[in-house]
Amino acid sequence: MDTNRLRELKLLPVWRARTGAIPDQAPVATHAPDGSALPETDTANCLHANQQMDVAAMDWAQLRQAVAGCTACPLSQARKQTVFGTGDKAASWLFIGEGPGAREDELGEPFVGQAGKLLDNMLQAIGLKRDQDVYIANIVKCRPPGNRNPQPLEAEQCRPYLLRQIALVQPRLIVALGKVAAQNLLASSESLASLRGQLHDFSGIPLIVTYHPAYLLRTLTDKTKAWEDLCFARSTMQSLQASSQL
């Protein structure tokens, strides 16, 4: 990409970095038919399976309420509030990051700090705008302490909520922002470099991997690579739209 073109698109050298309760659930068996107690692991698996079944039937209001009252993992203990997601509930584009930061934890909305402003500029560069055919969510809904990466158990407990958001939005294309989001969505341990530049599949939905805006704020040299990913995403969406009109 020509440097002048990047500058015109505001991609060089700086993209300006811009409660309720869970519904009652059916009781989960903790004892076998003979009266003996089930092992703790079996009980935990039953609880998680039951949570998934309940969440899979929720509408937007029920899902938001469930997330707001969730205490399924230790992240709930230190949060100020949950960060549900934001945008067009029938969006073609779904952007998924890793988890809320300090500012998001205060305001209850994803990508509102410097990384959020950068994401807004990234969207603008490919003709998109937050809340217009775009929905934004995270792998986890509560802020990990010290902005560390979400742990596997935390991501697993939040996964039913994210899956339900995806099912409700029904996006044409998912863009995973950063390694944590990509690895969790694709159940992969591969590096970000190896996951970029190709079209993945998430339950029948095309998925593209790029850098997290917070990473780009620290690593200016990778912004050109991110622009390549955005161009790839834009051309993919154009192909998807064209094929749907045939």
Side-chain angles (χ1 to χ4, degrees), residues 159 162-163 166 174 184-186 200-207:
R159 187 173 177 84
L162 179 60
L163 291 180
I166 295 172
I174 296 174
N184 274 278
L185 290 167
L186 298 173
H200 302 275
D201 177 88
F202 181 85
S203 299
I205 305 171
L207 184 150

Side-chain angles (χ1 to χ4, degrees), residues 78-162:
R79 73 181 180 221
K80 293 182 179 178
Q81 57 183 313
T82 55
V83 179
F84 181 73
T86 188
D88 184 344
K89 293 177 181 177
S92 298
W93 295 79
L94 175 60
F95 290 80
I96 301 177
E98 58 187 58
R103 189 64 175 158
E104 288 82 1
D105 185 45
E106 291 177 1
L107 299 179
E109 184 176 338
F111 289 94
V112 294
Q114 292 300 303
K117 292 179 180 178
L118 177 51
L119 178 58
D120 288 344
N121 282 344
M122 293 168 70
L123 295 175
Q124 184 179 11
I126 55 172
L128 299 176
K129 187 176 180 181
R130 187 187 292 238
D131 297 336
Q132 294 183 10
D133 206 27
V134 170
Y135 194 87
I136 302 170
N138 279 312
I139 293 296
V140 296
K141 312 300 185 188
C142 299
R143 180 195 179 196
N147 293 342
R148 63 164 171 75
N149 292 337
Q151 296 176 354
L153 176 61
E154 296 161 353
E156 181 64 22
Q157 291 296 333
C158 245
R159 187 173 177 84
Y161 300 134
L162 179 60

Side-chain angles (χ1 to χ4, degrees), residues 158-178:
C158 245
R159 187 173 177 84
Y161 300 134
L162 179 60
L163 291 180
R164 187 55 183 160
Q165 285 179 302
I166 295 172
L168 288 169
V169 174
Q170 297 185 24
R172 288 179 181 268
L173 179 66
I174 296 174
V175 179
L177 299 169

Side-chain angles (χ1 to χ4, degrees), residues 30-42:
T30 57
H31 290 77
D34 62 4
S36 60
L38 288 171
E40 289 186 9
T41 52
D42 289 346

